[in-house]
Amino acid sequence: MSTFEKDTPVSSTGPSDLVVVGSSAGGVEALSILVSTLPAGFPAPIVLAQHLDPNRPSSLDSILQRRTNLPVEVVQSRSRLQAGRIYVVPANRHVAINDSSVEVQSDHGKRPRPSVDLLLSSAAQVYGERLIAVILTGSGSDGAAGAVEVKDAGGIVIVQNPQTARYPSMPMALPPTVIDFEVDLERIGPLLNDLLTGASLPQPEEKTEDTLRFILELVSRQASIDFQPYRTSTILRRIGRRMTVTRNRTIRDYADYLIAHPEEIGELVKAFLINVTQFFRDPEAFAFLKSDVLPKLVAQARGRDRVLRFWTAGCATGEESYSLAMLITDMVGVELSQWSVKIFATDLDEAAIAFARRGLYTENLLSGVPAGYRERFFERVDIGYRISKAMRQMVIFGQQDLSRSAPFPRIDLVLCRNVLIYFTPELQDYVLSQFAFSLSPHGFLFLGKAETVRPAQSYYELYNKQWKVYRCRGGALPMVRRQNMPDLHMRRAEGVFNALQKRSSGKEHADQEAAQPAIEIGQLRRLNELLLRFLPIGVVVIDRSYRILTANGSARRLLGLREGGNEQDFLHAVHGIPYSSVREAIDAVFRERSTITLPEVQLDIAIGGSGRSVSLSIALMQLEAGAPDLAAISATDVTEQIQVRKQLEEVQVEHTHLMNELSTSNKRLNDVNKELLDANEELQVANEELMLTHEELQATIE
């Protein structure tokens, strides 16, 4: 979900702010540098969690005390937090933040000790937006899940630049959407001090309305994201943080800074958004979906066309969308290949969408996934787990602004959790109306715990009060137009709406504006019949949903498309097509408004009794200004050229036979060299640990 920070209460008896630092391999040196850059009178307590050898006594506190003027204290059982003090977590023990204290905890299973995740999670519950989390050098992924909770609570997340970290695994394990600042080690201390003592928010009596409106309009023009309907207090807090980093004392100065530095607008948008979620967040809610809602939808779909369509609005980094895909796959079972299941996953943040598309998560972020699902739907890779290909193909990710974009039609279930609570009532009403248009008759809406459908009550009926599940009343509802929606966006939205409505209802509209896109599609098909059928090159026209609008005879023969019907999905209709690479190319054409050529696309499954290779050229086309974007795909048979090239390669094989034998011998030598390099690397790690131990012993002797 793309949302804003939560208002988390902070203990009134302790310091208002807290800094938590986590590190592992190489952390002693990094922590020494960090504390040396902190000024005297630092305005917040700092809790340091460093993975240390549990079988050796630690002198980390002594080492750090030599590098800083701030008092350093090892947490023995329970220590009260005080500003300007450094608290070192003991080796092989877990600690947590409780009220205004840090205390040693009992064992927590197989977590690395001390657990950075546990420490950050407990601190986020107490300090919320007043917490700053710092992740330094280290191996593994400890801290990734905790940083997500910090971001979800509105706190700030800083990571050491992985390019300069001795061991970059820990800072690289964090989802990029939760990172506020990625800086070199030497700059972290000054940045912390600036964030805690820098520019303050405008006072309530100051007149900021005009300047704030100007800033938000500037963001809207450049980033195409409308933040004006959102809560002013939250927006001002986030602007205040950027004012601190950019060293602007007043909001007027910051507005001038935005004009002079347009790249800052991207950083401001990133500061506004909180893109965090988890797999199976609120497990009991997902259990209700699995036991009650989804069986009804599956039964209805099995009785008609075996088509299911879902929409996760505010999907953030994709965990919720993939959770839904896993549930559906589990319920449908071996029949999945006979079903058409599409999950539209949208979010404001383009970086979050890019991360979600990759489907790559560290082990810590999979804590909510049932063990059976982890084995079935994930594959182990070097740096974590990747969602299976079948799940990735089921989910269609895209960037979308709920306050502007057109809704998807014929949706069975909309998931929009913990997004509406940050909207103004006017925007809530508009978005809920769009969902009502989007849902099929008696489709379901799944909201967050603190959300409700009011004031759009007439569109929905309450289905489950505990989990905020609603059912849409009646049939298709008219799409509501916002008065302040820009004309260009509205024309595009209405064009998509009218084209989709004609597909679903089959009725003609008297309204000329509504009928215009349908007429254009008809003209496109007639042009295909009159002209494109004579071309030796295959031509296919699709929309943003990959739906085939028209295809000439050459394309049907070359790609194996069946005759008749225009409801075919291009990516699924062409048998054996490399799904991911072609979909990425089509998405890039719509996103970047450019032309992309895939010179050699191998159709894996034989067509007409023989293998086939084609060259695909994808170009953007638009019938007229304001009409929905389409893409024209031209296909050329390059099978013969590739076969000739393979024959030449076979001839070359005979001439390189002796070279291959030499290469085999070289490979054996390389394997031996690799073993030596691995042994040297292990020796180097052992030597570094010995050096750290020596430093600790020296500190103890002194």
Side-chain angles (χ1 to χ4, degrees):
M1 60 180 171
S2 288
T3 62
F4 294 97
E5 61 197 59
K6 301 176 181 177
D7 295 323
T8 305
V10 180
S11 172
S12 59
T13 59
S16 59
D17 300 285
L18 175 66
V19 177
V20 173
V21 182
S23 59
S24 181
V28 175
E29 178 185 1
L31 290 172
S32 299
I33 296 175
L34 172 61
V35 299
S36 69
T37 61
L38 299 175
F42 189 76
I46 305 174
V47 180
L48 306 180
Q50 163 69 37
H51 294 170
L52 296 170
D53 189 340
N55 299 318
R56 298 178 181 177
S58 172
S59 300
L60 179 60
D61 56 325
S62 301
I63 295 173
L64 297 181
Q65 189 64 81
R66 292 161 49 197
R67 302 295 300 271
T68 180
N69 293 323
L70 301 179
V72 180
E73 171 186 340
V74 178
V75 181
Q76 300 297 338
S77 59
R78 180 184 176 95
S79 298
R80 190 168 187 81
L81 295 172
Q82 300 179 39
R85 295 183 70 88
I86 298 174
Y87 299 85
V88 176
V89 176
N92 203 32
R93 298 298 301 273
H94 295 306
V95 300
I97 304 299
N98 186 1
D99 193 24
S100 58
S101 302
V102 54
E103 60 182 11
V104 176
Q105 299 285 296
S106 58
D107 194 13
H108 284 258
K110 298 182 179 180
R111 291 174 180 261
R113 288 183 285 187
S115 169
V116 181
D117 281 330
L118 176 63
L119 177 58
L120 291 178
S121 176
S122 62
Q125 295 178 19
V126 178
Y127 281 85
E129 66 175 8
R130 298 295 183 178
L131 173 64
I132 303 179
V134 181
I135 303 297
L136 302 179
T137 174
S139 57
S141 60
D142 190 21
V148 170
E149 297 194 40
V150 172
K151 188 69 173 180
D152 191 21
I156 300 175
V157 178
I158 302 172
V159 300
Q160 180 181 357
N161 184 355
Q163 301 297 325
T164 60
R166 178 180 294 185
Y167 298 90
S169 296
M170 275 180 62
M172 289 181 64
L174 274 65
T177 52
V178 309
I179 299 173
D180 293 292
F181 303 100
E182 181 181 287
V183 297
D184 292 337
L185 179 61
E186 294 77 8
R187 292 184 51 217
I188 294 179
L191 175 60
L192 290 172
N193 192 62
D194 287 344
L195 290 171
L196 294 169
T197 63
S200 59
L201 293 175
Q203 297 300 316
E205 62 270 15
E206 294 183 26
K207 294 184 177 180
T208 62
E209 293 85 353
D210 293 341
T211 305
L212 178 61
R213 186 181 302 109
F214 171 79
I215 290 176
L216 296 182
E217 288 176 352
L218 200 63
V219 171
S220 179
R221 286 198 300 270
Q222 180 163 321
S224 298
I225 302 176
D226 185 10
F227 289 107
Q228 295 193 57
Y230 300 170
R231 290 182 177 177
T232 302
S233 58
T234 300
I235 291 291
L236 285 175
R237 278 198 297 270
R238 291 296 183 174
I239 289 177
R241 291 180 180 177
R242 294 306 307 171
M243 289 169 58
T244 298
V245 175
T246 56
R247 300 186 181 279
N248 288 280
R249 298 187 60 84
T250 68
I251 193 172
R252 181 65 256 180
D253 292 341
Y254 184 66
D256 295 337
Y257 183 87
L258 285 174
I259 297 175
H261 302 83
E263 68 278 4
E264 171 64 15
I265 293 180
E267 297 299 323
L268 181 59
V269 171
K270 183 179 177 182
F272 283 161
L273 299 175
I274 296 179
N275 296 298
V276 294
T277 184
Q278 298 172 5
F279 286 102
F280 298 97
R281 193 172 194 173
D282 297 328
E284 295 179 352
F286 274 92
F288 175 76
L289 281 183
K290 183 178 180 180
S291 63
D292 189 290
V293 175
L294 293 180
K296 289 182 172 60
L297 296 177
V298 170
Q300 293 173 8
R302 183 175 279 115
R304 49 178 199 267
D305 50 9
R306 298 198 176 195
V307 173
L308 284 171
R309 293 164 60 86
F310 304 94
W311 180 12
T312 59
C315 66
T317 44
E319 289 91 330
E320 186 175 73
S321 307
Y322 290 130
S323 299
L324 183 59
M326 286 184 267
L327 289 181
I328 292 296
T329 303
D330 191 22
M331 296 183 64
V332 176
V334 295
E335 300 178 6
L336 183 62
S337 61
Q338 305 171 17
W339 287 68
S340 173
V341 180
K342 290 184 178 180
I343 301 174
F344 299 97
T346 62
D347 197 275
L348 270 173
D349 191 343
E350 189 173 1
I353 291 297
F355 182 86
R357 281 198 181 103
R358 289 194 295 270
L360 184 62
Y361 302 91
T362 61
E363 185 173 2
N364 290 20
L365 299 179
L366 269 62
S367 58
V369 179
Y373 281 7
R374 183 181 301 191
E375 296 174 0
R376 288 176 57 189
F377 302 125
F378 290 86
E379 55 185 4
R380 192 75 167 90
V381 294
D382 292 339
I383 56 176
Y385 290 83
R386 185 184 298 277
I387 195 79
S388 68
K389 182 178 180 180
M391 298 298 99
R392 294 201 306 272
Q393 291 180 349
M394 194 179 298
V395 184
I396 302 171
F397 289 101
Q399 185 182 15
Q400 184 188 56
D401 183 352
L402 288 176
S403 68
R404 295 184 178 186
S405 302
F408 300 100
R410 303 188 308 280
I411 297 297
D412 297 297
L413 171 66
V414 173
L415 284 82
C416 183
R417 307 178 65 212
N418 304 319
V419 176
L420 297 180
I421 55 176
Y422 299 100
F423 291 174
T424 62
E426 182 270 338
L427 184 53
Q428 288 182 14
D429 193 19
Y430 169 75
V431 172
L432 287 168
S433 301
Q434 297 296 80
F435 289 160
F437 161 80
S438 200
L439 287 168
S440 298
H442 308 298
F444 290 93
L445 172 65
F446 182 24
L447 299 179
K449 292 180 179 179
E451 295 171 326
T452 179
V453 300
R454 290 189 302 268
Q457 190 73 40
S458 60
Y459 296 151
Y460 303 94
E461 60 183 2
L462 182 63
Y463 185 79
N464 182 277
K465 182 177 181 180
Q466 180 181 6
W467 303 118
K468 297 302 177 64
V469 178
Y470 297 85
R471 177 173 266 178
C472 189
R473 297 176 184 267
L477 299 172
M479 186 170 67
V480 178
R481 174 173 180 168
R482 283 189 66 201
Q483 294 181 354
N484 60 344
M485 181 182 289
D487 291 339
L488 176 59
H489 291 280
M490 194 61 208
R491 286 198 301 270
R492 290 180 177 174
E494 289 174 346
V496 174
F497 161 68
N498 291 322
L500 293 173
Q501 191 174 48
K502 181 171 180 60
R503 283 174 49 206
S504 60
S505 65
K507 298 179 181 180
E508 294 293 333
H509 298 275
D511 189 309
Q512 181 179 1
E513 184 180 3
Q516 187 65 28
I519 293 174
E520 292 165 349
I521 297 301
Q523 292 174 344
L524 183 63
R525 290 171 182 157
R526 286 194 294 273
L527 176 63
N528 177 42
E529 292 297 324
L530 294 174
L531 177 61
L532 300 184
R533 63 178 177 177
F534 296 110
L535 292 178
I537 298 175
V539 177
V540 182
V541 179
I542 65 172
D543 60 15
R544 281 183 175 269
S545 299
Y546 318 115
R547 180 172 61 97
I548 296 176
L549 302 180
T550 182
N552 66 353
S554 297
R556 295 189 182 279
R557 290 189 300 272
L558 183 60
L559 301 177
L561 301 175
R562 67 176 186 268
E563 294 289 341
N566 294 296
E567 291 295 325
Q568 300 179 74
D569 182 316
F570 177 78
L571 296 174
H572 292 89
V574 181
H575 297 291
I577 196 170
Y579 182 96
S580 299
S581 59
V582 175
R583 187 179 76 168
E584 290 173 0
I586 294 174
D587 292 342
V589 167
F590 281 117
R591 181 177 63 253
E592 301 171 4
R593 311 188 74 78
S594 60
T595 299
I596 293 179
T597 298
L598 303 176
E600 296 179 9
V601 176
Q602 182 70 37
L603 303 184
D604 298 332
I605 301 177
I607 298 175
S610 60
R612 188 70 58 86
S613 297
V614 297
S615 173
L616 298 181
S617 180
I618 310 167
L620 189 71
M621 64 177 293
Q622 194 173 34
L623 299 180
E624 67 176 19
D629 290 336
L630 305 176
I633 303 176
S634 60
T636 305
D637 191 345
V638 295
T639 305
E640 184 176 350
Q641 295 93 312
I642 293 178
Q643 290 176 346
V644 171
R645 187 184 66 190
K646 288 182 179 179
Q647 291 174 358
L648 292 174
E649 291 174 351
E650 290 174 358
V651 173
Q652 292 175 353
V653 168
E654 296 178 359
H655 295 281
T656 57
H657 180 67
L658 292 176
M659 295 299 297
N660 288 338
E661 292 182 353
L662 291 174
S663 177
T664 301
S665 299
N666 288 334
K667 183 178 184 302
R668 293 172 183 170
L669 291 175
N670 289 335
D671 291 339
V672 174
N673 288 333
K674 184 178 184 302
E675 293 177 0
L676 291 174
L677 290 174
D678 292 340
N680 287 334
E681 185 176 350
E682 292 176 2
L683 288 175
Q684 182 179 356
V685 172
N687 185 47
E688 291 173 353
E689 293 178 353
L690 182 61
M691 292 174 60
L692 293 177
T693 302
H694 175 73
E695 186 176 355
E696 292 178 356
L697 289 174
Q698 182 179 358
T700 302
I701 293 173
E702 292 178 356

